[in-house]
């Protein structure tokens, strides 16, 4: 029996849904099921009754749950004490759009985490880490950024960008048949503009320039309606529900991926920062970045060709 398996058990008990629990834990669903089965074998009890429609705790699972929670809490407190993190300053972290859904849970027992509420673009968040206003940030960066600001980065998440279309099409659209919107406001859209320009240069997508901030949100929707061509969606609007008359379409040949990096100052020795980095990137997969069917900027720090060089 491992403490990690107890955490998995408690999370499934909280969610009563293996899919949601796996998403919350940021591991693959089959891996979670295997770990729960291994725990059941070690304990020689069945913890959950599960079928296609529901997951429920067995009487044994209900009886063991309070003890499992207590063990996890004790282990977290011991880890804080052993690492000398209980009295350290909070680790300050900022984000742009994508972030874990379980900040507090993942940080529990590792370090006190303070999530900055000042939402800023990727390049600004990375700069705040470099100048010491943040300890960590989740943002989009390229190798040139890391070198210029003396930062380190690990992959923490990926968004698969889609196209928004006002036409009658609903199926996948080739990257070359999309349009990317680039805004003259580089203060707000520096990272997106770089990504979009590199995507267009690599795939043959059309470039459209604007000065109205309309690379996302209602103004972006209007651009899509007026242009009547599939337009690549900005990651800031990744989870937005399209308004009536606009359709999401998968982009293929290739599929553009936007990577989210966890960045910190190179050479940072703060044990809380390093512990959060390890915890937040533990069990992070490769998200299929090495597939020939996807596209990343050549200077993306998580591009397979850079990983092969390590």
């Amino acid at each position: 029996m491992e403490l990690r398996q107890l955490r998995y058990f408690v999370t499934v008990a909280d969610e009563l849904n293996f899919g949601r629990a796996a998403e919350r834990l940021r591991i693959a669903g089959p891996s979670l099921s295997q770990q729960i089965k291994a725990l059941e074998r070690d304990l020689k009890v069945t913890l959950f009754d599960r079928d296609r429609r529901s997951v429920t705790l067995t009487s044994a699972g209900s009886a063991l749950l309070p003890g499992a929670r207590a063990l996890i809490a004790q282990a977290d407190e011991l880890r804080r004490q052993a690492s000398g993190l209980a009295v350290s300053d909070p680790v300050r972290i900022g984000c742009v759009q994508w972030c874990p859904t379980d900040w507090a849970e993942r940080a529990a027992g590792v370090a006190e985490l303070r999530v900055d509420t000042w939402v800023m673009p990727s390049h600004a968040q990375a700069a705040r880490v470099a100048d010491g206003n943040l300890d960590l940030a989740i943002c989009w960066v390229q190798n040139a950024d890391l070198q210029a600001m003396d930062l380190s980065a690990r992959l923490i998440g990926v968004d698969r960008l889609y196209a928004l279309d006002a036409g009658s099409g609903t199926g996948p659209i080739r990257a070359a048949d999309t349009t990317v919107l680039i805004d003259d406001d580089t203060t707000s859209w520096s990272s997106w503009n770089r990504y979009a320009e590199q995507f267009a240069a690599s795939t043959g997508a059309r470039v459209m320039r604007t000065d109205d901030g309309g690379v996302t949100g209602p103004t972006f929707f209007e651009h899509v309606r007026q242009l009547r061509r599939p337009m690549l969606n900005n990651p800031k609007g990744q989870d937005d529900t399209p308004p009536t008359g606009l359709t999401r379409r998968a982009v293929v040949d290739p599929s553009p991926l936007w990577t989210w990096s966890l960045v910190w100052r190179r050479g940072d020795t703060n044990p809380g920062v390093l512990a959060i980095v390890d915890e937040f990137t533990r069990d992070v997969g490769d998200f299929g970045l090495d597939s020939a069917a996807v596209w990343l900027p050549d200077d993306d720090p998580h591009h397979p060709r850079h990983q092969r060089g390590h």
Side-chain angles (χ1 to χ4, degrees):
M1 179 178 67
E2 301 177 10
L3 183 64
R4 172 171 55 97
Q5 292 172 330
L6 290 180
R7 289 189 189 277
Y8 292 172
F9 163 54
V10 170
T11 304
V12 176
D14 287 343
E15 296 290 343
L16 292 180
N17 181 288
F18 274 78
R20 288 196 301 268
E23 182 176 352
R24 182 171 154 188
L25 291 163
R26 302 191 72 248
I27 65 173
S31 296
L32 176 58
S33 295
Q34 290 171 8
Q35 290 298 322
I36 293 297
K37 289 177 181 177
L39 180 60
E40 290 176 324
R41 285 195 300 270
D42 286 345
L43 296 176
K44 296 182 174 57
V45 296
T46 299
L47 299 171
F48 298 100
D49 286 326
R50 40 200 186 270
D51 57 32
R52 292 183 179 179
R53 295 186 177 181
S54 65
V55 175
T56 57
L57 277 163
T58 63
S59 57
S62 297
L64 291 172
L65 183 58
R69 292 190 193 278
L71 280 173
I72 291 170
Q74 291 170 8
D76 289 344
E77 178 59 26
L78 180 62
R79 187 187 298 180
R80 277 193 294 267
Q81 293 175 3
S83 303
L85 300 176
V87 294
S88 67
D89 292 333
V91 174
R92 302 158 300 171
I93 186 169
C95 65
V96 180
Q97 172 70 16
W98 186 95
C99 65
T101 58
D102 53 354
W103 292 103
E105 179 178 318
R106 293 182 69 81
V110 177
E112 182 182 351
L113 189 68
R114 180 176 296 167
V115 180
D116 192 271
T117 57
W118 196 3
V119 176
M120 300 182 70
S122 283
H123 65 281
Q125 295 288 34
R128 294 177 71 203
V129 174
D131 63 24
N133 287 320
L134 290 174
D135 297 304
L136 296 163
I138 296 175
C139 54
W140 179 86
V141 289
Q142 294 191 294
N143 280 319
D145 304 315
L146 300 177
Q147 183 174 356
M149 291 184 275
D150 203 24
L151 299 176
S152 296
R154 286 189 192 172
L155 181 67
I156 192 171
V158 169
D159 279 330
R160 184 179 294 267
L161 303 187
Y162 55 86
L164 210 58
D165 192 3
S168 57
T170 57
I173 183 79
R174 294 176 61 251
D177 296 327
T178 64
T179 296
V180 291
L181 198 60
I182 293 176
D183 200 289
D184 291 339
D185 178 10
T186 56
T187 301
S188 299
W189 302 110
S190 171
S191 298
W192 169 252
N193 286 352
R194 280 190 289 158
Y195 181 95
E197 287 169 347
Q198 292 171 46
F199 174 75
S202 177
T203 65
R206 180 185 299 182
V207 172
M208 174 179 167
R209 297 188 177 274
T210 184
D211 59 2
D212 58 9
V215 297
T216 190
T219 308
F220 174 67
F221 298 149
E222 286 305 311
H223 284 306
V224 176
R225 291 189 182 98
Q226 292 172 13
L227 190 64
R228 300 199 68 79
R229 281 177 55 91
M231 300 189 73
L232 192 67
N233 191 65
N234 185 288
K236 188 173 181 180
Q238 185 74 3
D239 298 322
D240 292 349
T241 301
T244 302
L246 300 185
T247 305
R248 287 187 182 188
R249 300 183 65 180
V251 179
V252 296
D253 300 332
S255 297
L257 300 184
W258 175 279
T259 59
W260 292 108
S261 295
L262 182 62
V263 302
W264 68 100
R265 288 180 293 282
R266 192 171 297 159
D268 194 333
T269 58
N270 183 325
V273 172
L274 301 180
I276 289 291
V277 169
D278 286 341
E279 178 62 29
F280 275 34
T281 59
R282 176 172 51 84
D283 297 328
V284 170
D286 62 10
F287 297 99
L289 300 187
D290 59 351
S291 169
V294 304
W295 179 87
L296 293 174
D298 286 342
D299 201 35
D300 190 294
H302 313 296
H303 195 292
R305 70 185 182 88
H306 298 306
Q307 302 308 306
R308 286 192 292 269
H310 287 174

